[in-house]
Amino acid sequence: MIGIKRVHDPERNAAVYVSGELSRRATHWFEAHLLDCDDCWREVALGRAGKRLAEDALEPAPAGLRDRLRALVRLSGTSLTD
Amino acid sequence: MFGHDRDEEFLRATMGAVDLVYALARRMVDRPEDAQDLVQETYLAALRAWRDHRRPRKVEPWLATICLNLGRSRFRASARRPTEVPLERIDRADPAQDPEERALDAVRRDELVAAMWRLPQEQRVALTLVDLGGFTTAEAARAMGTPRGTVLSRVHRGRRALAVELSREQGQAREGRTR
């Protein structure tokens, strides 16, 4: 958990806030600030929406990749360290 | 510890990270087959280190760092090619869902994956580590070998670009439907 720079940097502040990395104290300060600052409010809204989208963009590993990795490890014996 | 036990221990420790490593590889190279090759190379390099008694404190950041380093050095040429929009469709359809909704959902997901591909590679990788991998921005910075401030900026710009682009496309889709 980290604090927040009290300089006005909407991009950085939104990034740490949306990532949930602010200390409790910094969160309180920033949330109070958000109510008065259109720039930070807009960046946080976009950051939240983008984070949800990024989470939705997961392409799961193809079926069979895990089996291939297991086989690779088991078949490689000790040859890798020879 | 015998070699067999050591390798099984490696598999138990690392198999939970396959989706993350694949997602990362997938965002560094444009062809799914190349991404699978990169995952295999990552696991072999990790196994080699494991057999050499180099054990990480946390497995995911360790594998991600190996994958990023291998991806940068071996797939640099392919990563520099103009980005092709990947055509594989992610099939996570819910059978109870209305067919029209399901079709829209599939289109939206394709748009989302395409939008992700239009981001600069550093933003794509940073988003994958932080928003998919659950890395802290400090962990992502270590894995990417960049200052934390740079990661914060890449993560936020990537999120913002996705949000802006997808809301624009959805707006156009809504207009199209009501016409």
Side-chain angles (χ1 to χ4, degrees):
Chain A
M1 288 295 132
I2 58 166
I4 199 164
K5 284 187 182 165
R6 303 281 172 113
V7 292
H8 195 235
D9 183 349
E11 205 174 83
R12 183 191 184 281
N13 291 348
V16 278
Y17 176 67
V18 173
S19 297
E21 293 186 27
L22 284 181
S23 65
R24 185 178 295 187
R25 194 167 162 204
T27 301
H28 286 158
W29 177 85
F30 187 61
E31 285 174 346
H33 169 75
L34 270 182
L35 297 176
D36 292 327
C37 178
D38 290 343
D39 289 344
C40 286
W41 182 269
R42 188 182 58 244
E43 291 304 322
V44 165
L46 287 171
R48 278 190 175 134
K51 180 177 165 63
R52 274 195 301 274
L53 289 167
E55 288 164 352
D56 278 353
L58 176 67
E59 296 171 72
L65 181 59
R66 278 182 182 74
D67 289 342
R68 276 202 298 285
L69 291 171
R70 278 194 198 93
L72 191 70
V73 168
R74 286 171 182 152
L75 290 174
S76 68
T78 56
S79 60
L80 285 173
T81 47
D82 286 346
Chain B
M1 188 184 280
F2 291 110
H4 170 77
D5 293 342
R6 187 188 49 200
D7 290 355
E8 291 303 314
E9 187 192 37
F10 170 80
L11 285 173
R12 277 196 299 277
T14 59
M15 289 311 283
V18 174
D19 277 336
L20 168 67
V21 178
Y22 178 75
L24 202 51
R26 193 69 191 88
R27 280 157 181 72
M28 297 186 78
V29 296
D30 51 15
R31 296 191 325 153
E33 312 87 85
D34 290 341
Q36 292 196 46
D37 286 348
L38 180 52
V39 174
Q40 293 197 13
E41 282 185 54
T42 301
Y43 270 75
L44 279 181
L47 176 63
R48 195 187 172 107
W50 191 272
R51 285 178 179 172
D52 207 22
H53 305 288
R54 282 175 278 151
R55 309 285 163 92
R57 203 165 49 86
K58 280 174 83 179
V59 165
E60 286 85 358
W62 178 61
L63 288 172
T65 307
I66 296 173
C67 180
L68 286 171
N69 289 337
L70 286 173
R72 279 196 200 104
S73 59
R74 301 195 186 186
F75 290 87
R76 198 162 277 156
S78 87
R80 243 192 252 124
R81 281 205 301 268
T83 302
E84 295 164 22
V85 172
L87 294 176
E88 62 180 339
R89 186 163 284 205
I90 308 159
D91 191 9
R92 280 196 269 165
D94 172 4
Q97 201 180 12
D98 170 65
E100 191 189 1
E101 288 267 313
R102 205 186 308 156
L104 281 172
D105 211 37
V107 169
R108 181 177 170 273
R109 195 169 292 283
D110 284 351
E111 283 167 0
L112 179 53
V113 172
M116 186 69 114
W117 270 93
R118 285 192 288 272
L119 297 178
Q121 194 196 41
E122 315 82 62
Q123 290 181 15
R124 219 160 49 220
V125 168
L127 277 187
T128 304
L129 292 175
V130 174
D131 288 342
L132 288 182
F135 285 36
T136 64
T137 49
E139 288 170 336
R142 273 196 296 279
M144 295 180 79
T146 51
R148 185 164 170 270
T150 308
V151 170
L152 283 171
S153 162
R154 287 175 182 171
V155 166
H156 185 69
R157 287 177 187 179
R159 286 174 181 160
R160 185 170 58 195
L162 285 183
V164 168
E165 194 162 333
L166 269 289
S167 67
R168 191 186 303 134
E169 286 183 9
Q170 280 169 5
Q172 284 166 356
R174 265 195 304 275
E175 274 175 33
R177 287 180 77 196
T178 51
R179 233 172 249 158

